[in-house]
Amino acid sequence: MTILPTTTTVTSYVGDAIGLLIDPSGLSRHRAVASINSALGKQLLPLLEAAFVRKQPKKLLLLPTYGKLPTTSLICVAVTDKGADAYRLAGARITRELRGANMKRVGVVLPTSFSVTRSDEAEAFFEGLFLGLYTFHVYKTVSPADRIAKDVQI
């Protein structure tokens, strides 16, 4: 897997999916969610609120874009807890969803809280991306190397 920084806007990214780390308490303040929401005709925010803001919230939501964005899918991962473990788990969830859906290229939108002072959370997120790729296939006859994500753009 290759991790590449990019300056592409979230609505012009071309790939298999866009990964969004979502803080359910701040959905309306998330700039990437706002721009994707307007591109999808104001349909994203109500879906995210229904999925992530309720008694038993989901942790991951895979949504199609129906051709309204250059990418085919959105992978929205809720990060409800603060700390390195929550971001490590979010990174692993994104990678496992990529592998399960046989996607090869994803763009991940990092939250604005990732800064030099919170580098432990950013490091944990990238660890989770790599740890999510792990598969135990010693006893398998065919290697699943073709199902591993090739590019992750941040």
Side-chain angles (χ1 to χ4, degrees):
M1 174 170 55
T2 307
I3 295 180
L4 304 168
T6 184
T7 56
T8 306
T9 61
V10 68
T11 54
S12 64
Y13 175 75
V14 178
D16 293 325
I18 294 175
L20 293 171
L21 297 179
I22 304 289
D23 178 7
S25 64
L27 275 175
S28 60
R29 296 185 310 268
H30 199 296
R31 287 185 293 199
V33 169
S35 61
I36 292 172
N37 188 43
S38 63
L40 295 178
K42 308 286 184 200
Q43 297 175 355
L44 180 65
L45 198 55
L47 283 172
L48 293 178
E49 287 173 350
F52 295 140
V53 185
R54 59 183 190 178
K55 287 185 179 180
Q56 294 294 324
K58 294 181 181 258
K59 295 290 183 185
L60 185 133
L61 195 61
L62 178 65
L63 300 169
T65 61
Y66 297 113
K68 294 184 180 182
L69 291 173
T71 186
T72 57
S73 302
L74 296 174
I75 301 172
C76 304
V77 178
V79 181
T80 54
D81 300 329
K82 300 300 177 204
D85 288 338
Y87 286 103
R88 188 175 293 110
L89 189 57
R93 281 190 177 122
I94 287 175
T95 314
R96 287 184 185 131
E97 189 65 32
L98 280 172
R99 189 177 50 205
N102 203 19
M103 296 180 191
K104 302 287 185 207
R105 190 173 173 153
V106 64
V108 179
V109 179
L110 296 177
T112 55
S113 64
F114 275 28
S115 64
V116 176
T117 58
R118 315 237 1 228
S119 63
D120 57 335
E121 292 176 354
E123 181 181 343
F125 173 73
F126 290 111
E127 286 174 2
L129 283 175
F130 284 109
L131 291 173
L133 290 174
Y134 176 77
T135 57
F136 181 77
H137 52 83
V138 171
Y139 300 111
K140 294 186 179 181
T141 57
V142 179
S143 175
D146 58 335
R147 295 190 66 193
I148 295 176
K150 302 295 183 209
D151 290 324
V152 175
Q153 294 190 355
I154 307 296

